Amino acid sequence: MNDKLSHLEKAAKEIRLTSAERSHIKMRLAEEVRARPLPLRGPVPSPHQRFFASPIFIALAVFLMVGSSTAFAATRALPGDPLYALKTDVFEPAEAAFQVSPTARASWQVHLASLRLQEAGRLAYAGRLTPATQATLAAKVAISTADAARAVTALEAVDPEGAQTVAVDLDATLLGNAAPLATLALSEDRTAAPVLAAALSSATSNESVSAADADLGAGTSGATQAEPPTVVSEPALPADTGPSRSGDAAPGITARPHPLTFGATLAPSADDATGSPIAEPGESVSVTGAAGVRILSVPAGSPEGYGNGSEIVPFAASTSANAKLSGGRARGSAMTKNAQLHATTTAGADFNTALDLFSRVHAIARGE
Amino acid sequence: MDPREKRFLDCYESDADAVYRHAYWKTHDAELARDITQESYLRAWNALAEGRQIENLKAFIFRTATNLVIDHYRKKKPLSLDTLAEAGFDPGEDDPAVLGTAEAREALAAVSSLEEPYRGTLLMRFATGLSIAEIAAVEEESENAISVRIHRGLEKLRGILKP
């Protein structure tokens, strides 16, 4: 068959215009070409030039420019900004999807917790920490820190070494952001408070005591200086979170004014308790004095670990303690049913669970 | 001379015979095929002169030639296109192809007896001498589709030529 086809191909080539016909047609074409010249135009654009000038490319370029600048702006967004929801509900979940291994997922949770705490710090510094943003962030931090703690404990089963690394990171994150954490723990979102308090007490019960703790410790111990009811704190900067800086080591340091004025909702110092409108006589509070402040102040030499007596417990000791800490706003009103539901489902942990989680993280961080 | 004019005339020099063959296999009329060849090039030039963008000039000219053949038969006989195709592709007794060998005539008859689209595609491939890429451009199909069509056409041809 192929042989016959090649015969056909060969014979077909004989079918062509005669040279006279070719010349005739060519002359006719040349006439037409002269009679109807092509419209003037610039050089023919190359395929590349055509691509760059194509509507698809332009649309793509505009999309990428707008998209990337929006994405960049979104990464800087703070609660209350229009792009904040984009950041937390779109970009972060998208990035989370790329965290495949359990270690990466745990690290990511720690990173998220760190981001939320940094946002709280930035908001406070910018003077934009309203009750609304405070509550928003408190809930988010509660969820992310509890998730991070859970991820660490889950990771320990498969990768103890990795878990320890991540646990140390979480520990450092919480400790390094103790001030914003405390601020958020005092938010109106009472459901988040126990979790945050647990995270805070867990972090600050470490041997390392942040500079903020030291300052506050000094501030409370020197409360006889008649500090105003507003106790202010310096934010715990990572650089200041050196080990073994105790309150005793800095007796002369007093609390310095700083935008992170969470003291406004705190009870005054123990010495002022009688004048406090919060610590009402007869109110059954298991601790006395500046409960909220003491959360941050771990006196030197105090036994390490969380919940060591009256020093750290107050946030969770009772609802009255909560009431006390919230400056009376939530006094006597324990969590509503919805709030409790929220605490156990959304935040993912009630206080005890959170405390268990964070103590477990500590144990992991210390390599126990 | 405008380089575009030169390109156009060069295209005529290199492809005119193929266009002529293309028209010839569809009409089996040497004179008509010559007229269709000339008209195809004139129309292509007019399209360019009107500012129309033509991506593939050769494919454009082949498609114009095909359309002119169809127009010719449409004017000549009020028949359906299918009937026209059936009538148009039968090589006559006075076909110049009979000048070739007996094998060539047998192959041409076998290809011409195939149904469309195998007939037109195999004629373009083996009688007109277009490459697969060129046929794909003329037919506005993918090269893969044309390859498959040629493969299947050859299978059918094998059934006809074997006995």
Side-chain angles (χ1 to χ4, degrees), chain A residues 120-133:
Chain A
R122 283 167 58 203
L123 270 186
Y125 194 79
R128 288 170 54 194
L129 198 57
T130 63
T133 52

Side-chain angles (χ1 to χ4, degrees), chain B residues 23-36:
Chain B
Y24 178 79
W25 297 125
K26 289 181 180 298
T27 62
H28 297 279
D29 181 331
E31 197 177 337
L32 182 58
R34 189 194 61 210
D35 290 347
I36 284 174

